[in-house]
Amino acid sequence: QVQLVESGGGLVQPGGSLRLSCAASGRWYSINVMGWYRQAPGKERELVARIGSGGSPNYADSVKGRFTISRDNANNTVYLRMNSLRPEDTAVYYCNANVMTAPPYGMNYWGKGTLVTVSS
């Protein structure tokens, strides 16, 4: 019922910046927390950042001070601004949303991911 589509990934040099976008479409009662996860080669998927419906953000320690998560509730979109990128940030970045589709039931949805490569 809910689809998440990421965009904005690509190749960037160390120290550069990218902004990822994730747009939700479909049917739901409300979208609660939205977030970004990433999976690097040979690693498990990990939380990067999340943001509540009221705009309160949380970040992984590895990205604090460098990444900024935001959301546009009117357009059902979550963003991730990534600054001062490092090679270790290279990963597939996945959008996640906790969605209430039929109160009181909620479930998580995932996008297919967008690849971010940080390399010179």
Side-chain angles (χ1 to χ4, degrees):
Q1 286 188 305
V2 180
Q3 296 80 45
L4 304 176
V5 180
E6 304 100 332
S7 62
L11 175 64
V12 64
Q13 294 184 354
S17 298
L18 284 174
R19 190 181 78 161
L20 306 183
S21 299
C22 172
S25 61
R27 299 183 180 89
W28 59 79
Y29 178 79
S30 64
I31 300 179
N32 301 312
V33 64
M34 301 185 77
W36 290 93
Y37 292 70
R38 67 186 181 187
Q39 187 167 20
K43 304 293 184 180
E44 294 188 356
R45 191 174 300 185
E46 64 177 357
L47 173 69
V48 177
R50 60 164 67 95
I51 186 168
S53 60
S56 181
N58 292 282
Y59 299 95
D61 288 341
S62 60
V63 306
K64 285 182 179 177
R66 299 189 297 122
F67 292 10
T68 302
I69 189 170
S70 61
R71 64 190 289 172
D72 180 353
N73 290 334
N75 291 295
N76 306 308
T77 303
V78 64
Y79 304 95
L80 185 68
R81 168 63 69 180
M82 303 182 293
N83 295 325
S84 302
L85 284 163
R86 306 164 180 169
E88 53 264 41
D89 294 318
T90 295
V92 176
Y93 284 71
Y94 297 91
C95 180
N96 170 265
N98 181 262
V99 181
M100 182 176 289
T101 56
Y105 306 105
M107 63 184 299
N108 284 316
Y109 289 86
W110 294 90
K112 292 182 178 180
T114 184
L115 177 63
V116 173
T117 302
V118 185
S119 176
S120 59

